[in-house]
Structures are given as structure tokens and as C-alpha cells.
């Protein structure tokens, strides 16, 4: 804490070929990842992809089968949790019901045998940061879920951890509180600058909180990058469809000389894009376009689109979300979802022209599902 500063030490965390097997099952498969000093890194992936296991290995709660974990230059791979100076916040909060808020927050300091006045000073500091000074005498049963979560976070930062680990800490909160707490945790982390690894399966949480996002699936790290990078340049169909809602449209198309052809639509392509697809002419690839990277001619603005391709279809279904409208446009057997800002009344069965932003299209290899462009 230092006397006048609230900045916690910064530590780089490096994972080298980190692997965890449970019997024959590989939960984490040769992970290589460096989390920078003071960074907020989000580990994102579907249930069972190995996020929690990775976090538990960093905390020292799980021993890797192979690979290394470094905090700065220190090899901590086989150190017990107490020698790592990490704190972890769990989904279940795990605050102790028989202790007051004060005692809960003070507990890790007592274990470390801090003097009483230092404990008092730190508990006050953490409680102030989390805005729970008024609650110090209460028991967890007398708190709301959001307040309990604040206590858990206060208890995690009170020891000035080198690394803060958070495992889906907001998933037990209702939707509104979750949004508010996202911003609070992010601001707190920016203030403390503590290296933070945050696990979630919620892509919106990842996009809004992470300095960088590491996307995992089936024990493997697929892509690491800033939220904008992974959103704009996903390296695979998995990342492309996991991030963004509604998800990216993915359609099978064949590559012709100067165009892509799917079921019921044909997209003319400029030379520079064709150049990247030269080796794929005559083959089938996966075409990807996000719903927000298209407009409907005559209905919404072309805004920032530099060059477009036009395809004609029929309105199949309309989802009015209030702030946006999702229009499902049918092209014979294919359906493409287009997201338009605002409330757009459109009749089902109406013929429309969809304009595709050609600078936002994605092409993936059909077999490897890796991005070609
Ligand atoms: P979730 O979001 O559901 O917690 P996750 O991405 O955090 O998922 P992990 O909890 O890391 O996933 O689990 C990864 C895989 O390893 C899962 O298939 C899980 O069943 C398996 N696994 C985890 N712990 C053990 C264990 N102790 N013994 C056997 N298998 C385990």
C-alpha cells in the first residue's frame, strides 16, 4: 500500500507450455501466455474449456502436469499458494458467515500476523475503496449479494497481492448489478494497477473489462489480443462466433474468379481481396460477416462503408430489440442476420437489398476454420 499511494506492486505472469491432465483428459493443453505488469487480462471461453484450471494453477491450488509458471523472474510453478502472494475471488464469494465484514477482510492479514494497527489501517483502506465502510460490523447474512461480493474483493486486495485472480466473480449477481460491478472492478484495478487475471464465459464482460482477452477452447489458447483486435480480426471461426452478439454470420461459399457464391447470393469482390483468395479459386470456404457490418439499402445509412457489395433477398423475420433491429434476410436456403440501429419496421416477405461492407468481411478455411482474411 505504501503510505501515500494505493498502487500495488506490479508483476508479470508468464505461463510456459502449461499443461494439466486429469487422467487421460487434457484440461489445459500447452498454454503459452504472458500477462503484463498491471494488466487486466480476461481468460474467455465456454464452460469446461480449462479457464478455472488455469487460474487454479496460477494460484497454486492445482499442480501442473508439465510446464512452468513465472511471476517476474521467479519460478513459482511448485510453490504453495501462501508463498505466491496471490489473491483469488471466487464466483461464490466465499465470505465466512460467522465473521463480521471487518473480520472477513482482516482475516488474511491476521494469518500473516500483521500488527493490529496495520490491520486496522489496511481494512479501512480496502473498505473505503470498495465503499463498504458502513458495513464493517455486519455479518454476511445481513448483506446483499453485491455487498458480499465487495467484501470478497476487499479481502482479496487487503494483502496487496502481486497477482489478483478472479473466477467469474459477477455471475451470481443480477444483470443490472453485474453491469455496475463490471465498471467498478475495472476502475478499482486501474487505480491499484495490480496484475489481474479474470475468468469469464461472458463475452460482453470480456470486451468491456479486459485490456486484452485470451480466448480458450478445449484446453487450448486460440487468440490473445485487445478487445478490438479479437473483435475485428478473429483468427478462427470459433473466436469470430464466440465474440459479438448476435454472432457473426458464417456461410459456406465457393470462390469464383472475382466473386463468392453461396446458396441464393453472389458477392462481387475487388481485386485486392481476390488476390488473398487466389489459391482458393474453385474451392469452398467459409464467408463471415458481422450483422452490424451490413445495411439495408434505402433504409439505413451507409455510414462508414468505403466499398460495398449488394445482394438481394427477402425479409424472413424481424427482431425488434428497442435500441436495435435484427433483420433476418433469406437468400434461398441461406439466412443472413443484419443488425440495424433503432427501430426499423419491416414487413416479412419484403424484398430488400443488403449492402455488405467489403472491408469487414472474413474468409475462413473450411477445414481448419482458420482465418484466410
Ligand atoms: P467452467 O466455466 O464451467 O468452470 P472452465 O473453463 O473453468 O469451465 P475447468 O473448470 O478448468 O473449465 O475444467 C476444464 C475441464 O477439466 C472440464 O472438462 C472439467 O470437467 C475437467 N476437470 C476439472 N477439474 C477436474 C478434476 N479435478 N478431475 C477431473 N477433471 C477435471
Amino acid at each position: 500500500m505504501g503510505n501515500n499511494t494505493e498502487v500495488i506492486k506490479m508483476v508479470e505472469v508468464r505461463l510456459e507450455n502449461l499443461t494439466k491432465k486429469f487422467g487421460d483428459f487434457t484440461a489445459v493443453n500447452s498454454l503459452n501466455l504472458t500477462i503484463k505488469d498491471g494488466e487486466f487480462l480476461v481468460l474467455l471461453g465456454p464452460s469446461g474449456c480449462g479457464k478455472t484450471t488455469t487460474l487454479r494453477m496460477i494460484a497454486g491450488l492445482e499442480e501442473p502436469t508439465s510446464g512452468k509458471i513465472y511471476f517476474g523472474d521467479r519460478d513459482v510453478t511448485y510453490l504453495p499458494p501462501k508463498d505466491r502472494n496471490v489473491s483469488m475471488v471466487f464466483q461464490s464469494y466465499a465470505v465466512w458467515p460467522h465473521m463480521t465484514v471487518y473480520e472477513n477482510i482482516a482475516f488474511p492479514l491476521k494469518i500473516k500476523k500483521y500488527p493490529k494497527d496495520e490491520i486496522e489501517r489496511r481494512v479501512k483502506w480496502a473498505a473505503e475503496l470498495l465503499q463498504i465502510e458502513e458495513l464493517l460490523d455486519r455479518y454476511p447474512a445481513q448483506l446483499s449479494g453485491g455487498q458480499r461480493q465487495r467484501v470478497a474483493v476487499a479481502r482479496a486486495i487487503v494483502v496487496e497481492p502481486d497477482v489478483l485472480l478472479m473466477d467469474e466473480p459477477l455471475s451470481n449477481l443480477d444483470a443490472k448489478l453485474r453491469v455496475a460491478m463490471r465498471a467498478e472492478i475495472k476502475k478499482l484495478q486501474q487505480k491499484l494497477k495490480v496484475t489481474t487475471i479474470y475468468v469469464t464465459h461472458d463475452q460482453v464482460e470480456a470486451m468491456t473489462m479486459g485490456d486484452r482477452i485470451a480466448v480458450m477452447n478445449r484446453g487450448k489458447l486460440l487468440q490473445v489480443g485487445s478487445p478490438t483486435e479479437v473483435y475485428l480480426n478473429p483468427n478462427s471461426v470459433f473466436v469470430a462466433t464466440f465474440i459479438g452478439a448476435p454472432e457473426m454470420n458464417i456461410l459456406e461459399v465457393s470462390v469464383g474468379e472475382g466473386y463468392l457464391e453461396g446458396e441464393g447470393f453472389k458477392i462481387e469482390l475487388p481485386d485486392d481481396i481476390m488476390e488473398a483468395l487466389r489459391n482458393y479459386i474453385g474451392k469452398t470456404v467459409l464467408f463471415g460477416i458481422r450483422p452490424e457490418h451490413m445495411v439495408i439499402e434505402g433504409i439505413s445509412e451507409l455510414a462508414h462503408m468505403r466499398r460495398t457489395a449488394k445482394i438481394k433477398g427477402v425479409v424472413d423475420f424481424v427482431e425488434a430489440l428497442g435500441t436495435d433491429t435484427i433483420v433476418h434476410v433469406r437468400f434461398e436456403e441461406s439466412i443472413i442476420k443484419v443488425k440495424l440501429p433503432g427501430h426499423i419496421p419491416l414487413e416479412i416477405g419484403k424484398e430488400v437489398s443488403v449492402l455488405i461492407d467489403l472491408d469487414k468481411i472474413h474468409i475462413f478455411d473450411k477445414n481448419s476454420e482458420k482465418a484466410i482474411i
Side-chain angles (χ1 to χ4, degrees), residues 11 44 58 68 81 84 98 113-114 143 175 222 255 283 291 297 312 314 373:
V11 171
L44 173 70
I58 299 169
K68 294 275 182 205
R84 297 189 185 205
H98 60 288
K113 302 206 177 352
Y114 278 69
L143 302 176
L222 298 186
V255 183
K283 293 187 183 157
E297 193 176 47
K312 285 190 177 162
V314 172
I373 54 172

Side-chain angles (χ1 to χ4, degrees), residues 131-333:
Q131 293 157 32
I132 48 173
E133 306 108 293
E134 313 294 311
L135 308 175
L136 288 171
D137 295 331
R138 292 208 201 162
Y139 285 90
Q142 302 165 305
L143 302 176
S144 70
Q147 289 168 334
R148 252 174 263 166
Q149 189 53 282
R150 283 167 196 270
V151 175
V153 176
R155 190 184 53 192
I157 62 165
V158 80
V159 293
E160 297 179 65
D162 289 344
V163 182
L164 180 61
L165 305 174
M166 299 184 137
D167 193 356
E168 311 237 8
L170 305 183
S171 52
N172 281 348
L173 305 179
D174 67 51
K176 213 167 161 186
L177 192 54
R178 203 156 58 217
V179 173
M181 281 300 282
R182 264 186 217 152
E184 279 204 39
I185 289 182
K186 177 74 184 173
K187 278 192 242 166
L188 179 69
Q189 192 272 343
Q190 283 172 338
K191 201 182 258 178
L192 297 175
K193 298 195 171 62
V194 56
T195 307
T196 300
I197 306 171
Y198 185 105
V199 159
T200 184
H201 63 268
D202 180 337
Q203 53 99 15
V204 178
E205 213 163 277
M207 289 292 286
T208 52
M209 297 180 84
D211 295 325
R212 285 189 308 155
I213 301 176
V215 186
M216 283 183 76
N217 190 31
R218 297 174 182 214
K220 288 211 155 182
L221 183 62
L222 298 186
Q223 187 169 5
V224 191
S226 70
T228 315
E229 277 161 10
V230 289
Y231 172 79
L232 288 178
N233 298 309
N235 66 2
S236 55
V237 172
F238 183 86
V239 175
T241 51
F242 199 75
I243 292 177
E247 72 180 43
M248 185 186 284
N249 296 285
I250 302 280
L251 298 121
E252 250 187 46
V253 294
S254 56
V255 183
E257 297 269 5
Y259 63 88
L260 300 173
E261 191 160 25
E263 279 199 41
F265 64 93
K266 191 169 172 179
I267 300 169
E268 308 281 345
L269 291 182
D271 291 346
D272 60 314
I273 298 180
M274 273 319 296
E275 184 58 28
L277 291 174
R278 211 166 25 158
N279 295 334
Y280 287 86
I281 290 176
K283 293 187 183 157
T284 303
V285 293
L286 299 172
F287 163 72
I289 183 80
R290 292 200 183 276
E292 56 273 39
H293 293 154
M294 290 172 285
V295 294
I296 292 182
E297 193 176 47
I299 289 183
S300 44
E301 293 289 321
L302 275 177
H304 313 291
M305 297 189 186
R306 196 163 59 95
R307 46 191 187 162
T308 57
K310 190 193 297 194
I311 53 174
K312 285 190 177 162
V314 172
V315 175
D316 192 67
F317 187 65
V318 178
E319 295 174 64
L321 303 180
T323 49
D324 302 305
T325 305
I326 315 293
V327 186
H328 300 216
V329 183
R330 175 179 287 283
F331 306 84
E332 291 176 14
E333 290 312 301

Side-chain angles (χ1 to χ4, degrees), residues 22 25 27-28 45-54 62 167-168 199 201:
F22 295 108
F25 178 75
V28 177
S47 182
C49 74
K51 308 179 295 290
T52 298
T53 305
T54 304
E62 199 85 69
D167 193 356
E168 311 237 8
V199 159
H201 63 268

